[in-house]
Amino acid sequence: MPTAYLNPTSDVSNSPAWSIGLGSDVYARLDGITPTGSPNLDGDVISATASGKKCVIGFSDFDNTGVGSINSVRAQMVTGNTARGGNYAIGMRILNSGTGSAVWAEEVVSTFASVSYRTLSWSARTTSSSGGSAWNDTDLDNIQMEIHLDSINAGTTKVTRAWFKIDYSLAATDNAIFFGTNF
Protein backbone atom coordinates (compact mmCIF):
# COMPACT_ATOMS: atom_id res chain seq x y z
CA MET A 1 0.00 0.00 0.00
CA PRO A 2 1.26 3.50 -0.74
CA THR A 3 2.45 5.79 2.03
CA ALA A 4 2.71 9.54 2.46
CA TYR A 5 4.45 11.60 5.11
CA LEU A 6 3.26 14.75 6.87
CA ASN A 7 6.06 16.97 8.17
CA PRO A 8 5.96 19.75 10.79
CA THR A 9 5.14 23.23 9.47
CA SER A 10 4.14 25.30 12.52
CA ASP A 11 4.46 25.78 16.27
CA VAL A 12 1.27 25.67 18.29
CA SER A 13 2.77 25.78 21.80
CA ASN A 14 5.91 25.00 23.80
CA SER A 15 5.09 25.00 27.51
CA PRO A 16 6.62 23.90 29.79
CA ALA A 17 9.25 24.62 27.20
CA TRP A 18 11.62 22.25 25.49
CA SER A 19 14.97 23.93 24.78
CA ILE A 20 15.23 24.86 21.12
CA GLY A 21 18.62 24.45 19.47
CA LEU A 22 19.84 26.56 16.53
CA GLY A 23 16.77 28.78 16.18
CA SER A 24 13.49 29.81 17.72
CA ASP A 25 10.91 27.44 16.19
CA VAL A 26 10.21 23.94 17.49
CA TYR A 27 8.80 22.70 14.17
CA ALA A 28 11.92 23.80 12.27
CA ARG A 29 14.09 21.57 14.49
CA LEU A 30 11.83 18.58 13.79
CA ASP A 31 11.35 18.75 10.01
CA GLY A 32 14.82 17.87 8.83
CA ILE A 33 16.71 14.90 7.57
CA THR A 34 17.24 12.08 10.03
CA PRO A 35 20.79 12.43 11.36
CA THR A 36 23.20 9.54 11.33
CA GLY A 37 25.48 10.78 14.08
CA SER A 38 25.38 10.95 17.82
CA PRO A 39 22.86 12.94 19.87
CA ASN A 40 25.91 14.36 21.67
CA LEU A 41 26.98 16.28 18.56
CA ASP A 42 23.62 17.47 17.22
CA GLY A 43 22.35 20.99 17.98
CA ASP A 44 19.48 21.06 15.47
CA VAL A 45 17.04 19.57 17.98
CA ILE A 46 14.60 20.20 20.78
CA SER A 47 16.01 18.96 24.08
CA ALA A 48 15.30 18.59 27.78
CA THR A 49 17.05 17.43 30.93
CA ALA A 50 13.88 17.13 33.04
CA SER A 51 10.51 15.47 32.51
CA GLY A 52 7.31 17.41 31.95
CA LYS A 53 8.36 19.33 28.83
CA LYS A 54 5.59 19.56 26.25
CA CYS A 55 5.15 21.09 22.80
CA VAL A 56 2.48 20.92 20.11
CA ILE A 57 3.28 21.24 16.41
CA GLY A 58 1.16 21.52 13.25
CA PHE A 59 1.75 19.60 10.03
CA SER A 60 1.64 19.92 6.25
CA ASP A 61 -1.63 19.24 4.47
CA PHE A 62 -2.31 15.80 3.06
CA ASP A 63 -2.45 15.59 -0.73
CA ASN A 64 -5.43 13.31 -1.26
CA THR A 65 -5.17 13.17 -5.07
CA GLY A 66 -5.84 9.59 -6.11
CA VAL A 67 -6.51 8.43 -2.55
CA GLY A 68 -9.34 5.97 -2.08
CA SER A 69 -9.17 5.46 1.68
CA ILE A 70 -6.81 6.24 4.53
CA ASN A 71 -5.94 2.97 6.25
CA SER A 72 -3.84 4.23 9.17
CA VAL A 73 -1.89 7.11 10.66
CA ARG A 74 1.30 6.47 12.66
CA ALA A 75 3.35 9.02 14.58
CA GLN A 76 7.12 8.60 14.39
CA MET A 77 10.08 10.45 15.90
CA VAL A 78 13.84 10.27 15.87
CA THR A 79 15.13 10.67 19.42
CA GLY A 80 18.26 10.17 21.46
CA ASN A 81 19.85 10.82 24.82
CA THR A 82 23.36 11.95 25.63
CA ALA A 83 23.84 9.59 28.62
CA ARG A 84 24.81 6.11 27.56
CA GLY A 85 22.89 3.59 29.64
CA GLY A 86 20.20 6.06 30.68
CA ASN A 87 16.57 5.75 29.78
CA TYR A 88 13.74 8.06 28.87
CA ALA A 89 10.10 7.92 27.87
CA ILE A 90 8.43 10.16 25.31
CA GLY A 91 4.68 10.61 25.12
CA MET A 92 2.83 11.52 21.95
CA ARG A 93 -0.76 12.61 21.58
CA ILE A 94 -2.66 13.27 18.34
CA LEU A 95 -4.69 16.49 18.35
CA ASN A 96 -6.45 18.73 15.81
CA SER A 97 -6.42 22.46 15.15
CA GLY A 98 -10.12 22.79 15.96
CA THR A 99 -11.20 21.35 12.61
CA GLY A 100 -11.50 17.64 12.01
CA SER A 101 -11.91 14.88 14.53
CA ALA A 102 -8.33 13.73 15.14
CA VAL A 103 -7.90 13.14 18.86
CA TRP A 104 -5.96 10.28 20.47
CA ALA A 105 -4.92 9.97 24.10
CA GLU A 106 -1.26 10.08 24.98
CA GLU A 107 0.75 6.96 24.31
CA VAL A 108 4.23 6.64 25.84
CA VAL A 109 7.24 4.87 24.33
CA SER A 110 10.15 4.10 26.66
CA THR A 111 13.64 3.45 25.40
CA PHE A 112 17.26 3.23 26.50
CA ALA A 113 19.86 5.82 25.58
CA SER A 114 22.62 4.74 23.22
CA VAL A 115 25.38 6.30 21.17
CA SER A 116 23.08 6.93 18.21
CA TYR A 117 19.59 8.13 17.42
CA ARG A 118 16.66 5.74 17.21
CA THR A 119 13.38 5.95 15.39
CA LEU A 120 10.40 5.53 17.69
CA SER A 121 7.04 4.47 16.26
CA TRP A 122 3.68 4.73 17.94
CA SER A 123 0.63 2.56 17.25
CA ALA A 124 -0.88 2.80 13.77
CA ARG A 125 -4.31 4.35 14.25
CA THR A 126 -7.05 3.18 11.89
CA THR A 127 -9.65 5.72 13.07
CA SER A 128 -9.34 9.43 13.76
CA SER A 129 -10.27 8.99 17.43
CA SER A 130 -11.01 6.21 19.88
CA GLY A 131 -14.23 4.66 18.63
CA GLY A 132 -14.29 7.30 15.88
CA SER A 133 -14.77 7.23 12.17
CA ALA A 134 -12.29 6.53 9.41
CA TRP A 135 -9.60 9.12 8.72
CA ASN A 136 -10.44 11.73 6.10
CA ASP A 137 -8.67 14.60 4.37
CA THR A 138 -10.01 17.23 6.83
CA ASP A 139 -8.62 15.26 9.78
CA LEU A 140 -5.17 15.05 8.19
CA ASP A 141 -5.11 18.65 6.98
CA ASN A 142 -5.64 19.80 10.58
CA ILE A 143 -3.63 17.21 12.51
CA GLN A 144 -1.28 18.20 15.33
CA MET A 145 1.20 16.28 17.48
CA GLU A 146 1.88 16.84 21.16
CA ILE A 147 5.34 15.69 22.24
CA HIS A 148 5.79 15.18 25.98
CA LEU A 149 8.91 14.09 27.86
CA ASP A 150 7.32 11.68 30.31
CA SER A 151 10.49 10.60 32.16
CA ILE A 152 14.27 10.86 32.02
CA ASN A 153 16.85 9.46 34.43
CA ALA A 154 20.09 10.91 33.04
CA GLY A 155 21.60 13.13 30.37
CA THR A 156 19.73 15.23 27.83
CA THR A 157 16.90 13.81 25.73
CA LYS A 158 16.81 15.17 22.19
CA VAL A 159 14.18 14.98 19.46
CA THR A 160 15.47 15.78 15.98
CA ARG A 161 12.62 14.69 13.74
CA ALA A 162 8.85 14.07 14.00
CA TRP A 163 6.32 13.11 11.32
CA PHE A 164 3.11 11.24 10.59
CA LYS A 165 3.25 8.23 8.26
CA ILE A 166 0.01 7.83 6.32
CA ASP A 167 -0.87 4.43 4.85
CA TYR A 168 -3.58 4.65 2.21
CA SER A 169 -5.25 2.81 -0.64
CA LEU A 170 -5.52 4.19 -4.14
CA ALA A 171 -8.88 5.19 -5.53
CA ALA A 172 -10.44 2.62 -7.81
CA THR A 173 -10.21 3.43 -11.49
CA ASP A 174 -12.20 1.94 -14.30
CA ASN A 175 -9.61 0.54 -16.66
CA ALA A 176 -11.94 -2.04 -18.16
CA ILE A 177 -12.01 -2.23 -21.93
CA PHE A 178 -15.51 -1.79 -23.26
CA PHE A 179 -16.43 -4.43 -25.77
CA GLY A 180 -19.27 -2.48 -27.27
CA THR A 181 -21.75 -3.13 -29.98
CA ASN A 182 -19.26 -3.36 -32.83
CA PHE A 183 -19.43 -7.15 -33.13
Side-chain angles (χ1 to χ4, degrees), residues 97-172:
S97 65
T99 305
S101 60
V103 177
W104 272 100
E106 182 176 11
E107 181 180 354
V108 177
V109 173
S110 299
T111 190
F112 292 97
S114 69
V115 295
S116 60
Y117 280 110
R118 9 180 114 202
T119 300
L120 304 181
S121 294
W122 279 261
S123 297
R125 302 296 183 180
T126 57
T127 59
S128 61
S129 61
S130 181
S133 57
W135 289 97
N136 62 49
D137 187 54
T138 301
D139 295 330
L140 294 181
D141 284 352
N142 295 286
I143 198 167
Q144 297 176 339
M145 180 188 294
E146 177 184 290
I147 301 170
H148 178 265
L149 184 57
D150 193 61
S151 67
I152 178 174
N153 77 345
T156 302
T157 295
K158 296 182 175 185
V159 182
T160 189
R161 188 156 181 246
W163 68 97
F164 283 109
K165 180 180 179 182
I166 313 303
D167 178 288
Y168 64 94
S169 299
L170 296 173

Side-chain angles (χ1 to χ4, degrees), residues 17-117:
W18 287 81
S19 296
I20 303 171
L22 302 181
S24 60
D25 297 315
V26 171
Y27 83 90
R29 306 293 62 84
L30 303 178
D31 67 351
I33 297 170
T34 301
T36 57
S38 165
N40 292 323
L41 305 174
D42 193 357
D44 194 19
V45 297
I46 61 171
S47 62
T49 57
S51 63
K53 307 303 182 186
K54 180 170 49 174
C55 66
V56 178
I57 51 178
F59 285 79
S60 55
D61 286 348
F62 179 65
D63 177 9
N64 67 347
T65 304
V67 172
S69 62
I70 300 164
N71 303 318
S72 67
V73 174
R74 177 186 299 264
Q76 296 185 293
M77 281 180 230
V78 175
T79 69
N81 187 289
T82 60
R84 187 181 289 184
N87 59 55
Y88 60 98
I90 295 199
M92 185 284 309
R93 190 164 68 130
I94 297 174
L95 305 170
N96 65 65
S97 65
T99 305
S101 60
V103 177
W104 272 100
E106 182 176 11
E107 181 180 354
V108 177
V109 173
S110 299
T111 190
F112 292 97
S114 69
V115 295
S116 60
Y117 280 110

